[in-house]
Amino acid sequence: MEEIRTRFAPSPTGYLHIGGARTALFNWLFAKKHNGKFILRIEDTDQARSTEESTKAILESMEWLGLDYDEGPFYQSERLELYGEKIDELLRTGKAYRCYCSAGELEQKRAEAMRLGRKPKYDRKCLNAAPKDSGAPHVVRFLSDDEGETIVEDLVKGKVIFFNDELDDLIIRRSDGYPTYNFVVVVDDATMRISHIIRGDDHLNNTPRQIQLYQALGFAVPKFAHVPMILGEDKSRLSKRHGATSVGAYRDEGYLPHALVNFLVRLGWSHGDQEIFSLDELIEKFDLKKVGKSAGVFNGEKLLWLNAHYIKTLPVAELLRHFRPFSGEKGFSADDEKLERIIDLHKERAKTLADLSDSIIYYFMDVIYCADAKAKFLTPEIKDALVMLRDRLADSDLSEDSLKAVFGDVMSAHGLKMKHLAQPVRVALTGDKVSPSIFEVMRVMGKEMVIKRLDEAVAAI
């Protein structure tokens, strides 16, 4: 059996889009499933729009998602000599020709074809014309087969037939000397020995042209799998109006790579009713036969649910590794052991790392009272009880038994129930009415901070 080799080939003209990330994930899983190779190629021949910043963002997003590559990254801008050799080969063998028609002429031809109800394809005026000065402005066109049909045996969509008389003579080198996408992608995939091309179905119409190029250059034709697009919940193409569309934006909003990977793989692929998968499970179960033909719908609530699940279930040390950038932004200073204890206490309520960061801010900064909570619970009636609690805690440790005993004594002395004392203490320590177990919060804070906060609350009444 041939070696399975897949690739992901983004253009560095922006950040890594969610759709591109899913394409990369499908290629990565397919290669891992079959003990193959996953290749990363940066398609940067669009000199006007390609940037180093975008390249860096794509590489960082791939690393964050855990999509490691076996070869690359390769850069098309470093392979221009090879493309030139292959274009010259097609010119020598009569499978390509120079076209000197101006943009104005081509627009006239297009308009005339449209007026007559014909497909606006190039009329091959320059195919057999007398050669001009080789320095004159021109493009190079591929001489496509205009008889019969080109069949794509797609691994997702099944057999797709294209009639060759519908195909145009594709420009393979622009007048500025740079080769075009449809040409270089064929040369790259062939010379990199890509066995399976898994990509979005917006590329399907390019495939018959590319198959003809493979054949004209004497290359074996790889297998194709065109996966459905990702749509927004209104069933239109996913765009910024549906929310964040780049991997980096979700990372910065506090999503975990585990959640995004799990979410993306289910946009178009399924394995029964299972929703949550480990990476090892995905590699074991991934199969192109289970990729659907219809578009996947991006459901932000489902992604949020998955993210909350992973925040709750990841080992706290691993969660801390992803949380550290957020703690740095907030200026939290704590050693790993203390921060792990804080995270472990608060992770059950968090949906994103940003939520988690907001929920623990009171451990690291002066407490700010919620106005409603202060008005309701930090009242003159509770002041003496808080003073007594503060004094008793100064001579006690914060173990479960000690705290129960201290709170019991204070409640007994002031005729209070637990909820009547615990809520004012919660507001005193955290500034708000909601937190994890107040005893747990006190233990994580430590006696010095607890007493300081109680003093401040008494002074604020």
Side-chain angles (χ1 to χ4, degrees), residues 1-5 30-31 33-36 195-196 223:
M1 183 178 177
E2 66 176 332
E3 181 185 36
I4 299 297
R5 293 173 63 84
F30 190 79
K33 164 92 173 184
H34 297 283
N35 296 313
S195 64
H196 291 73
K223 296 178 175 66

Side-chain angles (χ1 to χ4, degrees), residues 129-421:
K132 296 187 179 183
D133 176 5
S134 60
H138 67 276
V139 300
V140 174
R141 291 182 180 273
F142 173 63
L143 181 59
S144 65
D145 188 350
D146 58 2
E147 296 181 354
E149 56 193 29
T150 299
I151 298 174
V152 181
E153 298 285 358
D154 197 272
L155 297 175
V156 172
K157 296 186 174 297
K159 179 184 289 189
V160 185
I161 299 173
F162 294 87
F163 296 103
N164 290 338
D165 60 4
E166 294 287 311
L167 304 179
D168 204 355
D169 282 357
L170 183 72
I171 293 175
I172 58 175
R173 185 164 65 199
R174 296 187 293 265
S175 58
D176 63 3
Y178 271 87
T180 59
Y181 164 78
N182 274 300
F183 180 74
V184 296
V185 75
V186 167
V187 174
D188 285 338
D189 286 336
T191 55
M192 293 177 185
R193 308 189 317 282
I194 304 302
S195 64
H196 291 73
I197 296 175
I198 305 168
R199 59 189 181 187
D201 60 11
D202 54 331
H203 286 283
L204 181 58
N205 286 335
N206 290 326
T207 306
R209 297 175 172 86
Q210 292 173 5
I211 287 175
Q212 288 196 15
L213 281 166
Y214 280 105
Q215 294 167 338
L217 289 164
F219 293 134
V221 178
K223 296 178 175 66
F224 291 93
H226 289 90
V227 300
M229 300 295 288
I230 300 175
L231 303 180
E233 291 190 73
D234 60 359
K235 304 301 175 66
S236 64
R237 187 163 182 167
L238 189 67
S239 66
K240 289 182 179 178
R241 71 175 179 276
H242 299 111
T245 57
S246 74
V247 170
Y250 282 99
R251 176 196 61 210
D252 295 344
E253 288 177 9
Y255 286 81
L256 291 165
H258 315 67
L260 199 54
V261 164
N262 204 141
F263 177 73
L264 289 175
V265 79
R266 292 285 285 109
L267 288 175
W269 173 86
S270 64
H271 184 79
D273 295 327
Q274 188 171 345
E275 292 285 351
I276 297 172
F277 300 84
S278 68
L279 265 186
D280 287 341
E281 284 181 306
L282 286 176
I283 292 169
E284 175 195 347
K285 299 178 186 304
F286 186 76
D287 187 343
L288 288 173
K289 293 177 182 176
K290 294 181 180 178
V291 174
K293 294 180 174 63
S294 57
V297 177
F298 192 99
N299 183 331
E301 287 300 316
K302 185 173 181 180
L303 174 56
L304 199 59
W305 172 79
L306 276 168
N307 203 58
H309 165 81
Y310 280 106
I311 287 176
K312 290 181 181 72
T313 58
L314 276 183
V316 68
E318 185 177 355
L319 189 58
L320 174 59
R321 180 169 59 84
H322 292 285
F323 180 75
R324 270 298 184 189
F326 290 86
S327 67
E329 286 178 11
K330 297 282 188 179
F332 299 163
S333 58
D335 58 38
D336 284 357
E337 182 180 357
K338 181 171 183 178
L339 202 45
E340 282 184 15
R341 289 176 64 201
I342 294 172
I343 288 172
D344 203 33
L345 183 57
H346 287 261
K347 65 183 183 178
E348 289 293 324
R349 299 170 181 267
K351 292 184 177 181
T352 68
L353 297 179
D355 290 344
L356 184 58
S357 177
D358 290 341
S359 72
I360 67 173
I361 196 168
Y362 56 77
Y363 289 96
F364 304 96
M365 298 183 180
D366 291 342
V367 69
I368 299 175
Y369 303 117
C370 169
D372 290 345
K374 180 175 183 287
K376 184 174 181 179
F377 294 107
L378 296 186
T379 62
E381 292 77 14
I382 200 68
K383 185 174 182 178
D384 290 345
L386 292 181
V387 171
M388 180 179 177
L389 179 68
R390 180 249 183 254
D391 292 341
R392 288 294 308 276
L393 287 173
D395 297 323
S396 173
D397 61 42
L398 300 183
S399 67
E400 183 80 11
D401 290 342
S402 295
L403 286 173
K404 284 181 179 179
V406 168
F407 269 69
D409 290 347
V410 173
M411 288 187 292
S412 178
H414 292 273
L416 299 172
K417 293 183 178 180
M418 183 63 178
K419 64 180 180 180
H420 298 135
L421 180 60

